[in-house]
Amino acid sequence: MSEYRAPLKDMRFVLEELIGLEQIARLPQCEEASPDVVAAILEEGGKFAEEVLAPLNRVGDVHGAVWQDGEVKTAPGWKEAYTAFREAGWTALARSPEFGGQGLPKVVATAVMELWKGSNLAFSLCPMLTQGAIEALMLCGSPEQKKMYLPKMVSGEWTGTMNLTEPQAGSDLSAVRTRAEPVGDGTYKLYGQKIFITYGEHDLAENIVHLVLARLPGAPEGVKGISLFVVPKFLVNADGSLGARNDVRCVSIEHKLGIHASPTCVLSFGDHGGAVGTLVGEPNRGLEYMFIMMNEARFAVGLEGLALSERAYQKALSYAKERIQGFEVGVKSGPRVPIIRHPDVRRMLMLMKSQTEAMRALAYTVGAAFDLAHHHPDESVRQRSRGFVELMTPVVKGWCTENSVTIASLGVQVHGGMGFIEETGAAQHYRDARITPIYEGTTAIQSNDLIGRKIARNGGVIARGLIEEMRLAAEKLRAQPGEDFGVLARRLGAGIDALEKGVAYILETYGSNPKAAHAVSVPLLELFGIVCGGWQLGLSALVAAKRLAEGGGDEAFYRAKIGTARFYADHVLARAPALGMTVTEGAAGVLALDEEMF
Amino acid sequence: MSEYRAPLKDMRFVLEELIGLEQIARLPQCEEASPDVVAAILEEGGKFAEEVLAPLNRVGDVHGAVWQDGEVKTAPGWKEAYTAFREAGWTALARSPEFGGQGLPKVVATAVMELWKGSNLAFSLCPMLTQGAIEALMLCGSPEQKKMYLPKMVSGEWTGTMNLTEPQAGSDLSAVRTRAEPVGDGTYKLYGQKIFITYGEHDLAENIVHLVLARLPGAPEGVKGISLFVVPKFLVNADGSLGARNDVRCVSIEHKLGIHASPTCVLSFGDHGGAVGTLVGEPNRGLEYMFIMMNEARFAVGLEGLALSERAYQKALSYAKERIQGFEVGVKSGPRVPIIRHPDVRRMLMLMKSQTEAMRALAYTVGAAFDLAHHHPDESVRQRSRGFVELMTPVVKGWCTENSVTIASLGVQVHGGMGFIEETGAAQHYRDARITPIYEGTTAIQSNDLIGRKIARNGGVIARGLIEEMRLAAEKLRAQPGEDFGVLARRLGAGIDALEKGVAYILETYGSNPKAAHAVSVPLLELFGIVCGGWQLGLSALVAAKRLAEGGGDEAFYRAKIGTARFYADHVLARAPALGMTVTEGAAGVLALDEEMF
């Protein structure tokens, strides 16, 4: 079986040549992120991913996490890998030095996260959820809560979870019923059941810090009556040592299509007198706080789409180079050839490669904008970057994860019959990928966020700003000589036109005919992703052309960047005008049938 | 869990109203297929599918087939179900009365086959492979072979297999190495290993009749040196009773992503002295004969795409109607609603429904053309119909199966987090569907067949004939009043234009630049499928409009037909022009990178 190779060359191309890491390293609090330091970090991370995490990916799939009597045992080798992971300091990479973190920029953390998710998705979920919990406590926790939890969470000795979903409350959190009763000493007792809790119970760490949505007595109905609580698995004594086992139990774990090694828990709070917790921030603002974690997590799940696509591509590519089958097209005799010589295998690989590179460029660019939004000295840059991050978060989440499903599916197809055999490993990616467009908000939830909060609420100002920026890139492509750039400019221009009309349609209908706007919100999200991907690959091709003109670099690498962009233009970006038509004309069809006509 | 319901209403709509079953029943040898008789058969078949096969679908997935010491045990209940299946006469439905069959037309057998594949795909593979083997023996077997094997195979007492693939010879059958040595008494001894043999060993029937590709001593290299042999699991005595166990063993079965209940066998021939077989037809013509089975099987696998899509759709629809979650779009208060009220859920269901109906209409139309090709008194009709069947076989196989993967994926998505839980059942369809674009020839193999044998070889005459026929339908749509029909006419017209250009591109390049033609053959196949689907839904909408104008029918049903076609036009058929551009302009991008640049 082929193993995962950290795609360092392409990562560094995006970080150094496309985004310009030195720009980020000039920002206050980001000074440490010099290209050399970042390259060394990626090198180390890549080694860890390749040597420790990747070999456990199939082990985890086969063994899964095992529940027994309320405890969850992770797969063989997982505990040792997690210990090595936190001892190497990977959990602390992007966290504030105040709590023991290394304070590296988001864009660097983004690239590093891709390594974990690409090498072992099921493993990566544990640190990812912990990061989200840290973020929420950092921003909303009391000084006592921060002191009690953050250092151990940043060090990875304790992990964190997000407890949102209940059986009757999936995407609709207003239906949450878990209740929290004040004890009188500043603590609360929680009662209720939460489902789909990732790493809600496991044996990797000493303690698990649950962040839990619950209702206080007399709280308003709906989303405005939900508060956030921190409920540790083991209570924490004043001196920081572990105290009594809290009244939260894992009553079962799910039998899932994929990510078998990541325990998806049903947690029961308060079956034996109440689970002790403390309130985070103010009462009834829980959902707002949870969204802090959720936006982190949504972006991170978008990276999963990218990372799984990279992994599936590597696997398919390696098989396509090794597997000898058939003769070259147009040649009747001669030796049999590796299947990468067959044009349709080439087409599938190019679909995988080009979309993966487009996703990486876009996701890292969003990561860099996150740093600009936080650290740039100029308020207008901060504001513009914040707008871009907000607009792009649902796009990165929705587009990259939906792509990963089709890309993992292509990965199986490249393998032919062998792809359907579990031992080959391609099928695991196909199974694992399927959760990514669902958890942390389905694609429809992302698209609702996109058309509502991110477009309609600001009158489309941010989207139009992005469209203008993309038009400048199309201009540059047009000015570049050569057929490839002509095609790129034309397709990107047509894509931007389609997107502009799509955004205008949403602005027109969101208030007056919200059903129509929502009926085409997912096609709009897909359109957004495809066009932004084309924009990023277009910029990459421009960088490559410059390097080629300068000479002396890795010529094949830069020529591949241009060829890959060209492929994307004709096979992916070409879909944009059709998607645009679906957005502006497709709502009637969605709503054509009455419910009873189905 | 929702159960499978035979989609009899829609099946009968296609058979009776779209195709016109009475036309088929007027053909010689098809007289028994009156609408009443066919309706009764479908009713019975639907009952069997719903009551016997569907409940075993998950049982089979969970238990799988189990190999032990060369024997394969099917899942609990499977043997009883198979016995009931053959006793009810379902194996003999479309077979010649000469060998105990009922001789019903292909179009009826097509609808009945959808029932088996929709209710239990893994089960259906056993009779399907048997049908292919029967077909090959009927057409190429000697009188003795026919007498020895066909009655028992038609009755289902014995089953059949296709033994093509070897470890080094997947899609490339020219690499087959299994050898057959003449004994001198008219029999042969076979030696070699075959892989991916569906139902190569099982406990459902008394005997298994293997059709095996192998090489005779001194046979030419490549595909022209392959002969076809019949090798039974148990030798058959002159009186028809079972004799000695033959030297063919199942040495293992595969651990697969899906269709767990269908044993995928590694068969070893001749480990203990040679497996006894007889030659089918003439030496070195094996591949040609195997293609007879393969074309049957390819069409049948296309039906799997349709049937799985129907099943996934039913499951998603039932969940969407039951699952209460969130509020209606644009309504801030009021009761929570079933998720089918949410526009994006509606969009996903419409994608599933409209494409499923398009596939059914197209596949059944091809089934009917098969009957016309065989039985119509007018040679020109027979010839035209044969051309249509040949052109459409790779399209039905490739397009319907690729669709089933995305439709099963949508089915998971409609279920949200529950879709990822195996017990829900949606995930099984996603896993099962994934094999369909691979076996019996991958989509690339289908598309090679399409552009080579089915388009280039005849100078595009057959494709152009179909295009003309579709243009007539577009004309009729244009003449029909109402916005829906205007949109349908416009989109179908644009789709046909794109297809025409795509076909012209293939004709131009197939000889002069075969790599370019092959580089875009799969997009062309997809374009073919999408446009033909639009044509069929357009015709369905015209039938519906006529019925609505006449009055008195099921108004909601016919209005739904028009609404579904409208949705398809804006969400699926709208993609055709972009696909057309990918076909005519996309080859350069596919071939842009040298092999070492990947």
Side-chain angles (χ1 to χ4, degrees), chain A residues 210-443:
Chain A
H210 302 293
L211 291 189
V212 187
L213 290 184
R215 288 184 185 283
L216 287 166
E221 281 199 17
V223 295
K224 290 184 177 152
I226 300 175
S227 303
L228 182 64
F229 296 86
V230 54
V231 181
K233 175 179 169 186
F234 288 99
L235 297 174
V236 182
N237 299 321
D239 66 356
S241 63
L242 293 186
R245 182 72 164 82
N246 204 352
D247 186 14
V248 46
R249 306 274 162 191
C250 175
V251 295
S252 67
I253 64 174
E254 307 292 350
H255 174 218
K256 306 190 300 293
L257 173 63
I259 52 167
H260 293 159
S262 162
T264 301
C265 303
V266 179
L267 291 187
S268 194
F269 292 82
D271 284 350
H272 302 91
V276 178
T278 55
L279 181 68
V280 177
E282 295 172 29
N284 300 332
R285 292 182 61 186
L287 204 69
E288 187 187 316
Y289 302 152
M290 207 52 127
F291 262 102
I292 298 168
M293 294 168 67
M294 215 129 64
N295 276 323
E296 281 263 307
R298 284 177 175 182
F299 178 71
V301 173
L303 291 183
E304 294 179 3
L306 155 62
L308 273 177
S309 299
E310 170 69 34
R311 180 85 185 249
Y313 167 66
Q314 287 189 18
K315 185 149 200 70
L317 177 61
S318 144
Y319 186 79
K321 285 181 165 178
E322 285 162 17
R323 171 71 169 167
I324 308 291
Q325 184 87 164
F327 303 98
E328 194 137 359
V329 163
V331 178
K332 302 264 168 179
S333 61
R336 292 196 167 79
V337 297
I339 63 170
I340 191 172
R341 295 274 184 88
H342 300 324
D344 192 63
V345 171
R346 190 72 65 101
R347 183 189 65 88
M348 292 192 279
L349 291 172
M350 288 298 289
L351 271 173
M352 300 174 83
K353 176 181 171 65
S354 66
Q355 292 182 96
T356 301
E357 292 185 11
M359 290 190 273
R360 179 175 295 119
L362 184 63
Y364 288 18
T365 298
V366 174
F370 189 95
D371 293 317
L372 293 169
H374 278 73
H375 303 299
H376 199 278
D378 182 341
E379 164 61 21
S380 73
V381 176
R382 287 204 301 277
Q383 199 184 328
R384 203 171 58 231
S385 302
R386 199 177 308 124
F388 178 70
V389 170
E390 285 174 0
L391 180 67
M392 285 292 107
T393 297
V395 173
V396 169
K397 163 54 164 101
W399 178 61
C400 295
T401 60
E402 295 279 354
N403 281 350
S404 75
V405 174
T406 54
I407 288 171
S409 182
L410 283 168
V412 173
Q413 188 73 17
V414 169
H415 286 80
M418 290 306 296
F420 202 64
I421 307 298
E422 284 288 359
E423 284 78 1
T424 306
Q428 184 189 346
H429 305 318
Y430 176 72
R431 290 187 284 98
D432 285 355
R434 197 63 201 76
I435 190 58
T436 64
I438 295 175
Y439 63 10
E440 305 304 341
T442 62
T443 307

Side-chain angles (χ1 to χ4, degrees), chain A residues 79-99:
Chain A
K79 194 172 162 53
E80 294 75 8
Y82 182 76
T83 304
F85 184 80
R86 69 171 176 74
E87 284 177 356
W90 293 116
T91 57
L93 196 75
R95 310 306 355 163
S96 161
E98 193 190 343
F99 299 103

Side-chain angles (χ1 to χ4, degrees), chain A residues 58 166-172 174-175 195-196 222 254-259 264 313 317 321 323-330 336 338 340-341 343-344 346-350 353 402 405-406 409-410 412-413 416-423 427 430-435 437-438 442-444 447 483 490-491 514-515 518-523 556-557 559-560 563-564 566-567 570-572 574-575 577-578 581-582 585-598, chain B residues 58 166-172 174-175 195-196 222 254-259 264 313 317 321 323-330 336 338 340-341 343-344 346-350 353 402 405-406 408-410 412-413 416-423 427 430-435 437-438 442-444 447 483 490-491 514-515 518-523 556-557 559-560 563-564 566-567 570-572 574-575 577-578 581-582 585-598:
Chain A
R58 183 157 158 75
E166 300 178 8
Q168 78 294 347
S171 299
D172 173 18
S174 70
I195 61 168
F196 293 159
E254 307 292 350
H255 174 218
K256 306 190 300 293
L257 173 63
I259 52 167
T264 301
Y313 167 66
L317 177 61
K321 285 181 165 178
R323 171 71 169 167
I324 308 291
Q325 184 87 164
F327 303 98
E328 194 137 359
V329 163
R336 292 196 167 79
I340 191 172
R341 295 274 184 88
D344 192 63
R346 190 72 65 101
R347 183 189 65 88
M348 292 192 279
L349 291 172
M350 288 298 289
K353 176 181 171 65
E402 295 279 354
V405 174
T406 54
S409 182
L410 283 168
V412 173
Q413 188 73 17
M418 290 306 296
F420 202 64
I421 307 298
E422 284 288 359
E423 284 78 1
Y430 176 72
R431 290 187 284 98
D432 285 355
R434 197 63 201 76
I435 190 58
I438 295 175
T442 62
T443 307
S447 72
E483 189 201 328
R490 180 159 54 88
R491 297 256 191 251
K515 272 192 188 162
H518 284 79
V520 294
S521 62
V522 168
F557 179 80
R559 283 205 297 121
T564 302
R566 168 66 190 270
F567 174 90
D570 288 333
H571 290 256
V572 184
R575 297 176 202 154
M581 286 194 297
T582 297
E585 303 174 38
V590 174
L591 306 169
L593 270 59
D594 302 335
E595 207 172 309
E596 57 280 6
M597 286 159 74
F598 278 88
Chain B
R58 185 159 157 72
E166 300 179 8
Q168 78 295 347
S171 300
D172 173 18
S174 69
I195 62 168
F196 293 159
E254 306 293 350
H255 174 218
K256 305 190 301 294
L257 173 63
I259 52 167
T264 302
Y313 167 66
L317 176 61
K321 285 182 165 178
R323 170 70 170 168
I324 307 291
Q325 182 86 166
F327 303 98
E328 193 138 359
V329 164
R336 291 193 168 80
I340 192 173
R341 295 275 184 88
D344 191 63
R346 189 72 65 102
R347 184 189 64 88
M348 291 192 280
L349 291 172
M350 288 299 287
K353 176 182 169 67
E402 294 279 353
V405 175
T406 55
S409 183
L410 282 168
V412 173
Q413 189 73 15
M418 290 306 296
F420 202 64
I421 307 299
E422 283 289 0
E423 283 78 1
Y430 177 72
R431 289 187 285 99
D432 285 354
R434 197 63 199 75
I435 190 59
I438 295 175
T442 63
T443 307
S447 72
E483 189 201 327
R490 180 159 54 87
R491 297 254 191 253
K515 273 195 187 159
H518 284 80
V520 294
S521 62
V522 169
F557 179 80
R559 284 205 298 121
T564 302
R566 168 66 191 270
F567 173 89
D570 288 334
H571 290 255
V572 183
R575 297 175 202 155
M581 286 194 295
T582 297
E585 303 174 37
V590 173
L591 306 169
L593 269 59
D594 302 333
E595 206 173 310
E596 57 281 7
M597 287 159 74
F598 278 86

Side-chain angles (χ1 to χ4, degrees), chain B residues 232-247:
Chain B
K233 175 179 169 184
F234 287 99
L235 297 174
V236 182
N237 298 322
D239 65 355
S241 64
L242 292 187
R245 182 73 165 81
N246 204 352
D247 186 13

